[in-house]
Every structure is written in C-alpha cells, then in structure tokens.
Amino acid sequence: MELIIGKNYEDMSKSAADIIAELIRLKPNCVLGLATGGTPIGTYKELIRMHIEEGLDFSGVKTFNLDEYLGIGLDLQKPYTQDQSYARFMHEELFKHLNIKKENIHIPDGLAKDPQKFCSHYEEEIKKAGGIDLQLLGIGGDGHWAFNEPGSSLYSRTRVQPLSKQTLEDNFESFYKKSGIKKEDMPHFAITMGVGTILESRHALMIANGKKKAEIISKALEGSISWEVTATAIQLHPGKTTVILDKDAASKLTWTAKE
Ligand code: F6R
C-alpha cells in the first residue's frame, strides 16, 4: 500500500486528482469508480480545473458510481437542496463541468422498478466495460465503504442495503438538516456496490481528511480485518492500493508516528 500524507485538504485533493489525471492521460478510455460525499469535492474541483485549463479529456472515460439512495433519482427541475440524489450531486459537482459523454456515466438507479434486478445489471455493466481501473473511495464514520455498513460481507456484491444508525445521523448532520428535511423522511436504504465488487478494481484510491476520520482510518489501516469496519477490506485488495490523508486524518496511525 502506498500512503501519502498531505498537509491539508487541498493537498490531499490535489494528490488524488493528479493520480486520476495520470491514468486518464495514459488510458483515455479508462473506467473510473467514483464516490460522493464531502471528501471528494476538492478532488473533483481539481479535475474540473485540469479539464478547463489543461485540456484533460474525459470524452473516452467511463464512470461507475458507488451508490445511490433508494427511492430518489435525478430531478433537475428541483433546486439542488430538494434533490438529494447522488446522481444530482455528481452532475453538479463534476459531470456538468466536463466533456464526459452521458452514455458513459453509470450511477445506481434509486428509482429502479426492480432494484435487485438492477443490481445484477449494474454488475454486468461493470464487467462489460472491462472492470474498474481506478476506484475512488471515501470512508464513513462507521468505517463503511460505499454503503457497505457494518456487518456487510467482504465478498458482497452490488445490492440493496439498509443504512446504519450512524450513517443516518452523519447524513442528517452533513446535508439533510440544512435542507429542512426531517430525519424520519430521509431514505433508510441504498443501492451500493459490494465490498467484493470494489476489491476487483485494479487500483483502489482511498481519501480521508479531518480529525473526525482519524480513529476510523487507524482502524481501517491498522486494525483487524472485519466486517464491522468494511474499509478494513483495503488490507485485502490484491491490486494497487493508495491511501491519501491529510495530517489530521493520519494523526492516529502508529506506523507514521514511528517514522
Ligand atoms: C459515498 C460513499 C460513502 C462516503 C462516506 C464518507 O459515495 O461511498 O462511503 O465516502 O460516507 O462521506 P464523506 O466524504 O461525506 O465524509
């Protein structure tokens, strides 16, 4: 595993964007796995800057997002605050600023009539695209990868998953509270790529920042592999693995303290 510790959030974001951009330049038709949440926003901003100022070309790039809430989907007629879909997030924070082709963007369909069938279809689409070259990952407060909540099998595939109490709490604090939505009206289920699906990516790139992620990062990287913290599966990733942190998120790692 390669561990990069940046000075701050901007540093972390820039290093992550540089790795993604290098792949796009080397393999213009690469397949990227993408994440939502607060952590990757800086990385996406930097990729957008590279596209505008340096001509980084996304026209051949294919993307697969990790997850989507069940019961909601992209509604561009609604203001941003009323459409909490991850599809909307990706559109606003990344895709609308790039020359990526619409047909190359894949996001789990939260409005699928038959969600279980959709999950198998999503797995097939990933296979058809030749697998994921690079999967960008954040980490949840409870150690989840995508929405693989504690108790998810480390062999799990794309499926419907109930959200944990902590994830509901985190999501409420970080987003829903501001948009005036009541806790009980938040989606309680999601479609998520499985841990097994993620582990098949050729390069796993996990990013985390801030003191509030320090404890869970130390568990994920240095703790025992367990379905209680699904991000510990990073220790099992057979391909290339890169973890990029800021100083705060790295502050509880014992390895780096020894250096
Ligand atoms: C979202 C996803 C989640 C987030 C995690 C951290 O697509 O995969 O696992 O990465 O919940 O979220 P933030 O970045 O908001 O702390």
Short mmCIF file of all heavy atoms in Angstrom, two decimals, residues 22-31 61 130-131 133 202:
data_model
loop_
_atom_site.label_atom_id
_atom_site.label_comp_id
_atom_site.label_asym_id
_atom_site.label_seq_id
_atom_site.Cartn_x
_atom_site.Cartn_y
_atom_site.Cartn_z
N GLU A 22 -3.39 11.28 -14.29
CA GLU A 22 -2.31 10.49 -14.91
C GLU A 22 -2.89 9.26 -15.61
O GLU A 22 -2.51 8.92 -16.74
CB GLU A 22 -1.32 10.08 -13.83
CG GLU A 22 0.00 9.61 -14.39
CD GLU A 22 0.90 9.02 -13.32
OE1 GLU A 22 0.74 9.38 -12.13
OE2 GLU A 22 1.74 8.19 -13.68
N LEU A 23 -3.85 8.62 -14.94
CA LEU A 23 -4.49 7.45 -15.55
C LEU A 23 -5.24 7.84 -16.82
O LEU A 23 -5.14 7.16 -17.85
CB LEU A 23 -5.46 6.79 -14.53
CG LEU A 23 -6.33 5.67 -15.10
CD1 LEU A 23 -5.49 4.46 -15.52
CD2 LEU A 23 -7.39 5.23 -14.09
N ILE A 24 -5.97 8.96 -16.77
CA ILE A 24 -6.75 9.38 -17.95
C ILE A 24 -5.81 9.69 -19.13
O ILE A 24 -6.10 9.35 -20.27
CB ILE A 24 -7.64 10.60 -17.61
CG1 ILE A 24 -8.68 10.20 -16.55
CG2 ILE A 24 -8.32 11.17 -18.85
CD1 ILE A 24 -9.50 11.35 -15.98
N ARG A 25 -4.65 10.28 -18.81
CA ARG A 25 -3.70 10.59 -19.90
C ARG A 25 -3.10 9.32 -20.48
O ARG A 25 -2.92 9.20 -21.69
CB ARG A 25 -2.60 11.51 -19.38
CG ARG A 25 -3.12 12.93 -19.15
CD ARG A 25 -1.98 13.92 -18.87
NE ARG A 25 -2.54 15.11 -18.28
CZ ARG A 25 -2.46 15.45 -17.00
NH1 ARG A 25 -1.82 14.67 -16.14
NH2 ARG A 25 -3.02 16.56 -16.56
N LEU A 26 -2.82 8.36 -19.61
CA LEU A 26 -2.23 7.09 -20.07
C LEU A 26 -3.24 6.21 -20.79
O LEU A 26 -2.92 5.52 -21.74
CB LEU A 26 -1.75 6.29 -18.85
CG LEU A 26 -0.32 6.47 -18.40
CD1 LEU A 26 -0.11 5.79 -17.06
CD2 LEU A 26 0.63 5.90 -19.45
N LYS A 27 -4.49 6.25 -20.28
CA LYS A 27 -5.54 5.37 -20.83
C LYS A 27 -6.80 6.21 -20.99
O LYS A 27 -7.65 6.24 -20.09
CB LYS A 27 -5.77 4.20 -19.84
CG LYS A 27 -6.67 3.13 -20.37
CD LYS A 27 -6.81 1.95 -19.40
CE LYS A 27 -7.81 0.95 -19.91
NZ LYS A 27 -8.12 -0.12 -18.97
N PRO A 28 -6.94 6.90 -22.12
CA PRO A 28 -8.06 7.84 -22.29
C PRO A 28 -9.44 7.19 -22.21
O PRO A 28 -10.43 7.87 -21.95
CB PRO A 28 -7.82 8.43 -23.69
CG PRO A 28 -6.38 8.18 -23.98
CD PRO A 28 -6.01 6.92 -23.25
N ASN A 29 -9.51 5.87 -22.41
CA ASN A 29 -10.82 5.19 -22.30
C ASN A 29 -10.92 4.39 -20.99
O ASN A 29 -11.57 3.35 -20.94
CB ASN A 29 -11.06 4.28 -23.50
CG ASN A 29 -10.02 3.18 -23.59
OD1 ASN A 29 -8.98 3.25 -22.92
ND2 ASN A 29 -10.28 2.15 -24.38
N CYS A 30 -10.29 4.92 -19.96
CA CYS A 30 -10.27 4.19 -18.68
C CYS A 30 -11.65 4.19 -18.01
O CYS A 30 -12.54 4.97 -18.36
CB CYS A 30 -9.23 4.79 -17.72
SG CYS A 30 -9.59 6.46 -17.24
N VAL A 31 -11.79 3.27 -17.05
CA VAL A 31 -13.04 3.15 -16.29
C VAL A 31 -12.77 3.60 -14.86
O VAL A 31 -11.95 3.01 -14.16
CB VAL A 31 -13.56 1.69 -16.32
CG1 VAL A 31 -14.86 1.57 -15.55
CG2 VAL A 31 -13.73 1.21 -17.76
N VAL A 61 -13.71 8.56 -21.21
CA VAL A 61 -13.75 8.00 -19.85
C VAL A 61 -15.14 7.46 -19.52
O VAL A 61 -16.15 8.08 -19.82
CB VAL A 61 -13.34 9.09 -18.82
CG1 VAL A 61 -13.52 8.61 -17.39
CG2 VAL A 61 -11.90 9.54 -19.07
N GLY A 130 -15.17 -3.80 -18.92
CA GLY A 130 -13.80 -4.31 -18.74
C GLY A 130 -13.31 -4.19 -17.31
O GLY A 130 -12.11 -4.34 -17.05
N GLY A 131 -14.21 -3.88 -16.37
CA GLY A 131 -13.81 -3.75 -14.96
C GLY A 131 -13.34 -2.33 -14.66
O GLY A 131 -13.10 -1.54 -15.57
N ASP A 133 -10.83 0.45 -13.54
CA ASP A 133 -9.37 0.67 -13.49
C ASP A 133 -8.97 1.31 -12.18
O ASP A 133 -7.97 0.93 -11.57
CB ASP A 133 -8.93 1.59 -14.64
CG ASP A 133 -9.01 0.87 -15.98
OD1 ASP A 133 -8.38 -0.19 -16.10
OD2 ASP A 133 -9.73 1.36 -16.87
N ARG A 202 -8.84 -2.41 -10.25
CA ARG A 202 -7.39 -2.63 -10.40
C ARG A 202 -6.57 -1.72 -9.48
O ARG A 202 -5.48 -2.04 -9.07
CB ARG A 202 -6.98 -2.46 -11.86
CG ARG A 202 -7.47 -3.63 -12.70
CD ARG A 202 -7.04 -3.53 -14.14
NE ARG A 202 -8.04 -2.85 -14.95
CZ ARG A 202 -9.14 -3.43 -15.42
NH1 ARG A 202 -9.39 -4.69 -15.16
NH2 ARG A 202 -10.00 -2.74 -16.14
#
